[in-house]
Amino acid sequence: MSAEEEESELTETLPLFPLGGIVYTPNSEHILNIFEPRYRQMYNDILMNGSKRFVVAMCHPSEEGRFAQMGVLFSLEELKEVSEMTADRVKYICNHRVTGRVKLHKVLNPEVWESRETYLKVKGTIIDDTGLFSKKDDTENDVDGMDEMVSKDEDVRFTRASVKSFGVADGTDVDPNLWTSIRLWQSYAEQRLVARQNEMQKEFQEKLVEFLKKEMGSDKGKDEKEEELPSAIGFQDLSPELQSELVELQQRMSRELKPLLLEQTLSMQKILEAQDHDERIELMRYFVDAERKRLEAKKTLKNMFGGKSMVASRKEIEERKEVASGEESAVSKPSLNVESSQPKSQFF
């Protein structure tokens, strides 16, 4: 049998449900709310034919209608009809388990992506490696440097207990399913982004509270003012200065956080695309080592400046800009670059 004939024997026709920039991993559970007509039809079809499964793959971050060539298989475990309770805004609430990976070979009906008249279908090969660990001896599957990630100085950190369950870390209770540890790392990276977002918003929020207190008048006590602060305020109700700062904050968050989110997403996609757990362990070693170096550099900077806050005020930034006008920075922005040793994520 030729390679093409063998591939044809192994491939199946499966529904495709692209889910934005999210990367899911095997042996995890997820709930989806189904409201679009095309996906209502998809669920009706997989219930009628008894397959109860479909492929989920991430969309290309910048090119519409392109999808990752490696996705995962969602198996439907529970479905609730909720159209009456939601005035038909949501049809089903569904619980799924990811039971394997799927190598996508071809989208059979790409024209329906734009028309939305029905859901996409693909030819794909199901790869079941949810319970496999490395082919190597367990003692070789360690990743050093986790101590930096349990530091109490960090807002986002691993607990000692979670490190013990991290299946590729030195001296752990080795998890026979590496995907559990990969999801733990994914959660850590996601929480880091949330913490950075909160940090960027904090200074503006403090100024907003002061503005609202002044607007309420100075004849009331501090506690009384804080209790009566509104839970929401429109952009047009802000002072011109705060409006300008909010716009600047949004632009800054977009510049700084979007690349970090994309980097994190593509890192997880590369782990998903890896041929086996040995290759995934090597990737995890790389990511853990990069994070360890980042934390060490952060700690060094903090010690150099005697623990002083590294967040500069807007006035200080403007003053520095004036002093450094016309000069180029000698320090380049650090980035997590795995392209030198690993192939790029593959998309249709």
Side-chain angles (χ1 to χ4, degrees):
M1 183 182 292
S2 69
E4 288 185 2
E5 289 174 331
E6 186 176 352
E7 183 179 279
S8 179
E9 287 286 325
L10 296 173
T11 59
E12 298 183 38
T13 299
L14 297 160
L16 173 63
F17 194 160
L19 284 174
I22 304 173
V23 178
Y24 296 95
T25 57
N27 209 24
S28 56
E29 293 187 8
H30 305 280
I31 295 174
L32 299 178
N33 294 334
I34 307 306
F35 52 89
E36 279 195 62
R38 54 181 168 172
Y39 297 120
R40 294 185 185 204
Q41 179 188 342
M42 186 191 80
Y43 275 85
N44 290 338
D45 289 349
I46 65 174
L47 287 171
M48 289 293 291
N49 63 32
S51 66
K52 295 185 178 181
R53 60 186 188 176
F54 54 91
V55 183
V56 171
M58 73 170 287
C59 298
H60 193 283
S62 59
E63 298 180 29
E64 186 72 19
R66 294 188 64 194
F67 315 105
Q69 292 184 28
M70 183 66 73
V72 293
L73 189 68
F74 267 45
S75 294
L76 179 63
E77 294 202 329
E78 184 181 6
L79 179 145
K80 293 181 181 179
E81 160 71 70
V82 294
S83 54
E84 289 188 8
M85 293 186 292
T86 63
D88 205 38
R89 288 189 297 272
V90 176
K91 176 69 172 176
Y92 301 125
I93 295 179
C94 308
N95 187 45
H96 313 80
R97 186 165 189 82
V98 181
T99 55
R101 296 182 298 145
V102 180
K103 172 68 175 176
L104 280 63
H105 303 295
K106 182 181 180 181
V107 179
L108 300 176
N109 55 344
E111 69 281 355
V112 304
W113 176 247
E114 288 190 12
S115 68
R116 296 174 177 263
E117 62 188 53
T118 188
Y119 56 90
L120 293 167
K121 293 181 181 179
V122 297
K123 279 285 186 182
T125 301
I126 297 172
I127 306 167
D128 182 10
D129 56 3
T130 53
L132 298 178
F133 198 57
S134 171
K135 296 175 186 175
K136 300 178 183 178
D137 185 81
D138 287 348
T139 57
E140 297 182 39
N141 298 325
D142 64 311
V143 175
D144 297 323
M146 298 298 292
D147 287 344
E148 291 289 338
M149 285 163 239
V150 297
S151 170
K152 291 182 180 179
D153 294 334
E154 295 296 321
D155 292 332
V156 179
R157 59 185 181 272
F158 284 95
T159 62
R160 291 288 178 187
S162 64
V163 167
K164 291 196 70 176
S165 69
F166 198 74
V168 292
D170 189 21
T172 63
D173 302 326
V174 176
D175 185 345
N177 188 344
L178 181 61
W179 292 114
T180 302
S181 296
I182 290 171
R183 285 198 306 280
L184 183 62
W185 181 257
Q186 184 180 27
S187 177
Y188 171 80
E190 288 170 351
Q191 291 303 312
R192 253 194 60 204
L193 279 173
V194 172
R196 178 61 183 141
Q197 179 178 333
N198 292 339
E199 180 185 330
M200 295 175 73
Q201 292 175 336
K202 185 177 179 182
E203 184 178 352
F204 175 80
Q205 289 170 343
E206 290 172 350
K207 291 181 180 179
L208 177 60
V209 169
E210 289 302 314
F211 167 76
L212 292 174
K213 288 179 181 177
K214 290 178 182 178
E215 287 293 298
M216 293 173 61
S218 58
D219 56 333
K220 295 183 179 180
K222 180 179 178 182
D223 294 339
E224 189 178 353
K225 285 183 189 178
E226 290 182 352
E227 288 178 5
E228 295 183 8
L229 290 178
S231 57
I233 182 171
F235 180 79
Q236 67 279 2
D237 298 322
L238 299 175
S239 67
E241 182 183 356
L242 281 178
Q243 288 182 1
S244 176
E245 285 199 30
L246 180 57
V247 171
E248 183 182 328
L249 174 63
Q250 291 171 334
Q251 292 173 344
R252 188 168 146 234
M253 288 175 66
S254 179
R255 287 193 306 269
E256 293 188 25
L257 297 183
K258 279 188 178 181
L260 292 175
L261 178 59
L262 178 60
E263 186 175 68
Q264 173 207 319
T265 302
L266 293 180
S267 297
M268 290 303 301
Q269 181 64 29
K270 291 170 80 65
I271 289 174
L272 189 69
E273 291 174 359
Q275 294 297 314
D276 52 39
H277 276 359
D278 290 334
E279 191 175 331
R280 290 184 191 99
I281 287 168
E282 289 305 311
L283 285 168
M284 289 295 289
R285 282 197 181 103
Y286 182 94
F287 298 141
V288 170
D289 187 56
E291 177 65 2
R292 177 183 59 79
K293 290 176 180 177
R294 184 190 74 84
L295 292 173
E296 285 179 349
K298 181 180 176 182
K299 186 176 180 180
T300 300
L301 283 172
K302 186 175 180 180
N303 291 338
M304 285 172 60
F305 290 91
K308 183 181 177 181
S309 172
M310 299 299 294
V311 181
S313 68
R314 188 178 172 189
K315 183 179 179 182
E316 289 173 326
I317 292 172
E318 292 302 322
E319 289 174 351
R320 290 174 190 174
K321 283 181 180 177
E322 291 175 7
V323 171
S325 178
E327 298 179 3
E328 291 186 5
S329 173
V331 182
S332 60
K333 183 180 178 183
S335 63
L336 185 62
N337 179 14
V338 295
E339 291 184 3
S340 58
S341 58
Q342 299 295 333
K344 292 182 179 180
S345 297
Q346 298 177 341
F347 291 84
F348 285 111

mmCIF file of all heavy atoms in Angstrom, residues 131-165:
data_model
loop_
_atom_site.group_PDB
_atom_site.id
_atom_site.type_symbol
_atom_site.label_atom_id
_atom_site.label_comp_id
_atom_site.label_asym_id
_atom_site.label_seq_id
_atom_site.Cartn_x
_atom_site.Cartn_y
_atom_site.Cartn_z
ATOM 1 N N GLY A 131 -2.542 9.745 26.564
ATOM 2 C CA GLY A 131 -2.016 9.123 27.766
ATOM 3 C C GLY A 131 -0.551 8.756 27.706
ATOM 4 O O GLY A 131 -0.030 8.114 28.600
ATOM 5 N N LEU A 132 0.122 9.159 26.630
ATOM 6 C CA LEU A 132 1.516 8.766 26.461
ATOM 7 C C LEU A 132 2.462 9.716 27.172
ATOM 8 O O LEU A 132 2.216 10.901 27.270
ATOM 9 C CB LEU A 132 1.871 8.738 24.968
ATOM 10 C CG LEU A 132 1.096 7.741 24.103
ATOM 11 C CD1 LEU A 132 1.546 7.893 22.666
ATOM 12 C CD2 LEU A 132 1.308 6.313 24.579
ATOM 13 N N PHE A 133 3.564 9.168 27.661
ATOM 14 C CA PHE A 133 4.627 10.012 28.200
ATOM 15 C C PHE A 133 5.829 9.850 27.293
ATOM 16 O O PHE A 133 5.717 9.364 26.168
ATOM 17 C CB PHE A 133 4.943 9.626 29.653
ATOM 18 C CG PHE A 133 5.693 10.687 30.404
ATOM 19 C CD1 PHE A 133 5.165 11.965 30.518
ATOM 20 C CD2 PHE A 133 6.920 10.433 30.968
ATOM 21 C CE1 PHE A 133 5.850 12.961 31.191
ATOM 22 C CE2 PHE A 133 7.611 11.422 31.656
ATOM 23 C CZ PHE A 133 7.071 12.679 31.760
ATOM 24 N N SER A 134 6.968 10.257 27.706
ATOM 25 C CA SER A 134 8.158 10.194 26.868
ATOM 26 C C SER A 134 8.632 8.757 26.671
ATOM 27 O O SER A 134 8.449 7.900 27.531
ATOM 28 C CB SER A 134 9.263 11.013 27.510
ATOM 29 O OG SER A 134 10.462 10.807 26.827
ATOM 30 N N LYS A 135 9.291 8.525 25.532
ATOM 31 C CA LYS A 135 9.905 7.225 25.280
ATOM 32 C C LYS A 135 11.154 7.060 26.133
ATOM 33 O O LYS A 135 11.597 5.943 26.393
ATOM 34 C CB LYS A 135 10.287 7.114 23.802
ATOM 35 C CG LYS A 135 9.088 7.160 22.856
ATOM 36 C CD LYS A 135 9.560 7.171 21.426
ATOM 37 C CE LYS A 135 8.392 7.356 20.456
ATOM 38 N NZ LYS A 135 8.854 7.483 19.052
ATOM 39 N N LYS A 136 11.727 8.180 26.568
ATOM 40 C CA LYS A 136 12.939 8.128 27.384
ATOM 41 C C LYS A 136 12.582 7.757 28.819
ATOM 42 O O LYS A 136 11.431 7.787 29.229
ATOM 43 C CB LYS A 136 13.635 9.495 27.373
ATOM 44 C CG LYS A 136 14.049 9.951 25.974
ATOM 45 C CD LYS A 136 14.679 11.326 26.063
ATOM 46 C CE LYS A 136 15.033 11.855 24.685
ATOM 47 N NZ LYS A 136 15.596 13.211 24.742
ATOM 48 N N ASP A 137 13.623 7.454 29.591
ATOM 49 C CA ASP A 137 13.422 7.179 31.002
ATOM 50 C C ASP A 137 12.919 8.425 31.715
ATOM 51 O O ASP A 137 13.324 9.542 31.406
ATOM 52 C CB ASP A 137 14.745 6.741 31.634
ATOM 53 C CG ASP A 137 14.574 6.326 33.079
ATOM 54 O OD1 ASP A 137 14.162 5.184 33.305
ATOM 55 O OD2 ASP A 137 14.859 7.162 33.961
ATOM 56 N N ASP A 138 12.034 8.252 32.691
ATOM 57 C CA ASP A 138 11.422 9.387 33.386
ATOM 58 C C ASP A 138 12.455 10.327 33.999
ATOM 59 O O ASP A 138 12.232 11.526 34.090
ATOM 60 C CB ASP A 138 10.494 8.883 34.494
ATOM 61 C CG ASP A 138 9.203 8.287 33.932
ATOM 62 O OD1 ASP A 138 8.940 8.473 32.730
ATOM 63 O OD2 ASP A 138 8.499 7.650 34.699
ATOM 64 N N THR A 139 13.580 9.789 34.434
ATOM 65 C CA THR A 139 14.565 10.631 35.110
ATOM 66 C C THR A 139 15.182 11.654 34.174
ATOM 67 O O THR A 139 15.760 12.632 34.628
ATOM 68 C CB THR A 139 15.686 9.766 35.707
ATOM 69 O OG1 THR A 139 16.284 8.995 34.639
ATOM 70 C CG2 THR A 139 15.136 8.827 36.766
ATOM 71 N N GLU A 140 15.067 11.440 32.852
ATOM 72 C CA GLU A 140 15.636 12.390 31.906
ATOM 73 C C GLU A 140 14.690 13.546 31.628
ATOM 74 O O GLU A 140 15.071 14.536 31.036
ATOM 75 C CB GLU A 140 15.956 11.683 30.581
ATOM 76 C CG GLU A 140 17.009 10.599 30.703
ATOM 77 C CD GLU A 140 17.303 9.976 29.353
ATOM 78 O OE1 GLU A 140 17.351 10.713 28.353
ATOM 79 O OE2 GLU A 140 17.465 8.752 29.293
ATOM 80 N N ASN A 141 13.428 13.412 32.053
ATOM 81 C CA ASN A 141 12.412 14.393 31.686
ATOM 82 C C ASN A 141 12.236 15.451 32.759
ATOM 83 O O ASN A 141 11.173 15.614 33.334
ATOM 84 C CB ASN A 141 11.070 13.680 31.448
ATOM 85 C CG ASN A 141 11.169 12.702 30.308
ATOM 86 O OD1 ASN A 141 11.876 12.946 29.343
ATOM 87 N ND2 ASN A 141 10.486 11.582 30.431
ATOM 88 N N ASP A 142 13.319 16.166 33.072
ATOM 89 C CA ASP A 142 13.244 17.192 34.097
ATOM 90 C C ASP A 142 13.541 18.553 33.487
ATOM 91 O O ASP A 142 14.272 18.675 32.525
ATOM 92 C CB ASP A 142 14.203 16.896 35.260
ATOM 93 C CG ASP A 142 15.650 16.919 34.811
ATOM 94 O OD1 ASP A 142 15.936 16.267 33.795
ATOM 95 O OD2 ASP A 142 16.459 17.599 35.459
ATOM 96 N N VAL A 143 12.932 19.562 34.074
ATOM 97 C CA VAL A 143 13.186 20.949 33.674
ATOM 98 C C VAL A 143 13.596 21.706 34.918
ATOM 99 O O VAL A 143 12.839 21.794 35.873
ATOM 100 C CB VAL A 143 11.921 21.593 33.060
ATOM 101 C CG1 VAL A 143 12.177 23.053 32.778
ATOM 102 C CG2 VAL A 143 11.541 20.868 31.772
ATOM 103 N N ASP A 144 14.823 22.220 34.927
ATOM 104 C CA ASP A 144 15.318 22.956 36.094
ATOM 105 C C ASP A 144 14.792 24.385 36.088
ATOM 106 O O ASP A 144 14.304 24.883 35.082
ATOM 107 C CB ASP A 144 16.848 22.975 36.090
ATOM 108 C CG ASP A 144 17.423 21.566 36.216
ATOM 109 O OD1 ASP A 144 16.825 20.763 36.950
ATOM 110 O OD2 ASP A 144 18.453 21.283 35.570
ATOM 111 N N GLY A 145 14.949 25.062 37.238
ATOM 112 C CA GLY A 145 14.665 26.492 37.283
ATOM 113 C C GLY A 145 13.289 26.852 37.791
ATOM 114 O O GLY A 145 12.864 27.993 37.652
ATOM 115 N N MET A 146 12.561 25.907 38.389
ATOM 116 C CA MET A 146 11.210 26.207 38.853
ATOM 117 C C MET A 146 11.202 27.019 40.138
ATOM 118 O O MET A 146 10.194 27.632 40.478
ATOM 119 C CB MET A 146 10.420 24.906 39.064
ATOM 120 C CG MET A 146 10.214 24.072 37.802
ATOM 121 S SD MET A 146 9.256 24.946 36.548
ATOM 122 C CE MET A 146 7.660 25.008 37.337
ATOM 123 N N ASP A 147 12.325 27.035 40.886
ATOM 124 C CA ASP A 147 12.361 27.753 42.158
ATOM 125 C C ASP A 147 12.036 29.232 41.994
ATOM 126 O O ASP A 147 11.382 29.835 42.849
ATOM 127 C CB ASP A 147 13.746 27.611 42.811
ATOM 128 C CG ASP A 147 13.965 26.213 43.378
ATOM 129 O OD1 ASP A 147 12.954 25.488 43.531
ATOM 130 O OD2 ASP A 147 15.116 25.854 43.650
ATOM 131 N N GLU A 148 12.491 29.834 40.897
ATOM 132 C CA GLU A 148 12.222 31.251 40.657
ATOM 133 C C GLU A 148 10.725 31.511 40.510
ATOM 134 O O GLU A 148 10.250 32.611 40.764
ATOM 135 C CB GLU A 148 12.946 31.715 39.386
ATOM 136 C CG GLU A 148 14.462 31.754 39.499
ATOM 137 C CD GLU A 148 14.935 32.886 40.404
ATOM 138 O OE1 GLU A 148 14.177 33.850 40.596
ATOM 139 O OE2 GLU A 148 16.053 32.782 40.931
ATOM 140 N N MET A 149 9.967 30.491 40.107
ATOM 141 C CA MET A 149 8.544 30.674 39.804
ATOM 142 C C MET A 149 7.635 30.411 40.995
ATOM 143 O O MET A 149 6.421 30.405 40.856
ATOM 144 C CB MET A 149 8.156 29.814 38.604
ATOM 145 C CG MET A 149 8.660 30.413 37.304
ATOM 146 S SD MET A 149 8.669 29.254 35.944
ATOM 147 C CE MET A 149 10.395 29.268 35.514
ATOM 148 N N VAL A 150 8.219 30.156 42.158
ATOM 149 C CA VAL A 150 7.412 30.047 43.377
ATOM 150 C C VAL A 150 7.745 31.195 44.331
ATOM 151 O O VAL A 150 7.324 31.186 45.485
ATOM 152 C CB VAL A 150 7.618 28.690 44.086
ATOM 153 C CG1 VAL A 150 7.158 27.557 43.198
ATOM 154 C CG2 VAL A 150 9.077 28.494 44.494
ATOM 155 N N SER A 151 8.492 32.176 43.868
ATOM 156 C CA SER A 151 8.908 33.308 44.698
ATOM 157 C C SER A 151 7.710 34.107 45.179
ATOM 158 O O SER A 151 6.807 34.428 44.407
ATOM 159 C CB SER A 151 9.848 34.219 43.907
ATOM 160 O OG SER A 151 10.077 35.415 44.618
ATOM 161 N N LYS A 152 7.701 34.455 46.451
ATOM 162 C CA LYS A 152 6.616 35.254 47.019
ATOM 163 C C LYS A 152 6.646 36.696 46.529
ATOM 164 O O LYS A 152 5.694 37.446 46.725
ATOM 165 C CB LYS A 152 6.695 35.217 48.552
ATOM 166 C CG LYS A 152 6.371 33.847 49.130
ATOM 167 C CD LYS A 152 6.404 33.854 50.652
ATOM 168 C CE LYS A 152 6.074 32.485 51.217
ATOM 169 N NZ LYS A 152 6.112 32.453 52.697
ATOM 170 N N ASP A 153 7.749 37.082 45.885
ATOM 171 C CA ASP A 153 7.851 38.439 45.351
ATOM 172 C C ASP A 153 7.027 38.612 44.077
ATOM 173 O O ASP A 153 6.799 39.738 43.631
ATOM 174 C CB ASP A 153 9.312 38.783 45.046
ATOM 175 C CG ASP A 153 10.160 38.841 46.314
ATOM 176 O OD1 ASP A 153 9.584 39.117 47.382
ATOM 177 O OD2 ASP A 153 11.374 38.607 46.218
ATOM 178 N N GLU A 154 6.600 37.506 43.476
ATOM 179 C CA GLU A 154 5.851 37.565 42.221
ATOM 180 C C GLU A 154 4.353 37.458 42.480
ATOM 181 O O GLU A 154 3.908 36.641 43.284
ATOM 182 C CB GLU A 154 6.280 36.422 41.290
ATOM 183 C CG GLU A 154 7.716 36.513 40.816
ATOM 184 C CD GLU A 154 7.951 37.752 39.960
ATOM 185 O OE1 GLU A 154 7.068 38.095 39.162
ATOM 186 O OE2 GLU A 154 9.021 38.372 40.103
ATOM 187 N N ASP A 155 3.569 38.306 41.773
ATOM 188 C CA ASP A 155 2.109 38.234 41.896
ATOM 189 C C ASP A 155 1.571 36.941 41.309
ATOM 190 O O ASP A 155 0.605 36.365 41.814
ATOM 191 C CB ASP A 155 1.461 39.431 41.182
ATOM 192 C CG ASP A 155 1.766 40.749 41.886
ATOM 193 O OD1 ASP A 155 1.973 40.715 43.108
ATOM 194 O OD2 ASP A 155 1.791 41.789 41.207
ATOM 195 N N VAL A 156 2.162 36.492 40.207
ATOM 196 C CA VAL A 156 1.761 35.227 39.572
ATOM 197 C C VAL A 156 2.885 34.237 39.773
ATOM 198 O O VAL A 156 4.028 34.465 39.352
ATOM 199 C CB VAL A 156 1.493 35.426 38.062
ATOM 200 C CG1 VAL A 156 1.108 34.102 37.418
ATOM 201 C CG2 VAL A 156 0.401 36.460 37.852
ATOM 202 N N ARG A 157 2.585 33.135 40.438
ATOM 203 C CA ARG A 157 3.637 32.167 40.751
ATOM 204 C C ARG A 157 3.031 30.781 40.927
ATOM 205 O O ARG A 157 1.824 30.637 41.158
ATOM 206 C CB ARG A 157 4.369 32.571 42.030
ATOM 207 C CG ARG A 157 3.481 32.691 43.253
ATOM 208 C CD ARG A 157 4.250 33.205 44.456
ATOM 209 N NE ARG A 157 3.425 33.311 45.643
ATOM 210 C CZ ARG A 157 2.705 34.386 45.964
ATOM 211 N NH1 ARG A 157 2.748 35.449 45.168
ATOM 212 N NH2 ARG A 157 1.973 34.418 47.060
ATOM 213 N N PHE A 158 3.875 29.776 40.842
ATOM 214 C CA PHE A 158 3.477 28.417 41.150
ATOM 215 C C PHE A 158 3.507 28.218 42.664
ATOM 216 O O PHE A 158 4.359 28.782 43.352
ATOM 217 C CB PHE A 158 4.442 27.415 40.520
ATOM 218 C CG PHE A 158 4.268 27.231 39.038
ATOM 219 C CD1 PHE A 158 5.036 27.942 38.135
ATOM 220 C CD2 PHE A 158 3.326 26.344 38.548
ATOM 221 C CE1 PHE A 158 4.885 27.780 36.779
ATOM 222 C CE2 PHE A 158 3.162 26.167 37.178
ATOM 223 C CZ PHE A 158 3.932 26.877 36.295
ATOM 224 N N THR A 159 2.590 27.426 43.173
ATOM 225 C CA THR A 159 2.691 26.998 44.563
ATOM 226 C C THR A 159 3.639 25.802 44.612
ATOM 227 O O THR A 159 3.899 25.151 43.596
ATOM 228 C CB THR A 159 1.320 26.569 45.110
ATOM 229 O OG1 THR A 159 0.845 25.436 44.360
ATOM 230 C CG2 THR A 159 0.311 27.712 44.997
ATOM 231 N N ARG A 160 4.146 25.518 45.815
ATOM 232 C CA ARG A 160 5.034 24.355 45.954
ATOM 233 C C ARG A 160 4.296 23.072 45.543
ATOM 234 O O ARG A 160 4.873 22.173 44.932
ATOM 235 C CB ARG A 160 5.505 24.235 47.405
ATOM 236 C CG ARG A 160 6.456 25.342 47.836
ATOM 237 C CD ARG A 160 7.810 25.180 47.198
ATOM 238 N NE ARG A 160 8.713 26.275 47.581
ATOM 239 C CZ ARG A 160 9.918 26.442 47.051
ATOM 240 N NH1 ARG A 160 10.347 25.606 46.125
ATOM 241 N NH2 ARG A 160 10.670 27.450 47.437
ATOM 242 N N ALA A 161 3.013 23.004 45.895
ATOM 243 C CA ALA A 161 2.226 21.805 45.561
ATOM 244 C C ALA A 161 2.077 21.651 44.054
ATOM 245 O O ALA A 161 2.166 20.544 43.520
ATOM 246 C CB ALA A 161 0.854 21.884 46.223
ATOM 247 N N SER A 162 1.843 22.781 43.346
ATOM 248 C CA SER A 162 1.662 22.679 41.895
ATOM 249 C C SER A 162 2.962 22.311 41.197
ATOM 250 O O SER A 162 2.959 21.600 40.199
ATOM 251 C CB SER A 162 1.107 23.990 41.330
ATOM 252 O OG SER A 162 2.012 25.053 41.509
ATOM 253 N N VAL A 163 4.111 22.775 41.753
ATOM 254 C CA VAL A 163 5.397 22.398 41.175
ATOM 255 C C VAL A 163 5.610 20.900 41.302
ATOM 256 O O VAL A 163 6.148 20.245 40.405
ATOM 257 C CB VAL A 163 6.550 23.173 41.855
ATOM 258 C CG1 VAL A 163 7.905 22.569 41.480
ATOM 259 C CG2 VAL A 163 6.499 24.635 41.439
ATOM 260 N N LYS A 164 5.148 20.317 42.398
ATOM 261 C CA LYS A 164 5.309 18.874 42.597
ATOM 262 C C LYS A 164 4.479 18.077 41.604
ATOM 263 O O LYS A 164 4.759 16.909 41.344
ATOM 264 C CB LYS A 164 4.928 18.488 44.028
ATOM 265 C CG LYS A 164 5.891 18.988 45.088
ATOM 266 C CD LYS A 164 5.700 18.271 46.408
ATOM 267 C CE LYS A 164 6.167 16.836 46.325
ATOM 268 N NZ LYS A 164 6.091 16.129 47.613
ATOM 269 N N SER A 165 3.443 18.707 41.036
ATOM 270 C CA SER A 165 2.623 18.006 40.043
ATOM 271 C C SER A 165 3.056 18.343 38.626
ATOM 272 O O SER A 165 2.480 17.837 37.663
ATOM 273 C CB SER A 165 1.150 18.382 40.219
ATOM 274 O OG SER A 165 0.934 19.737 39.850
#
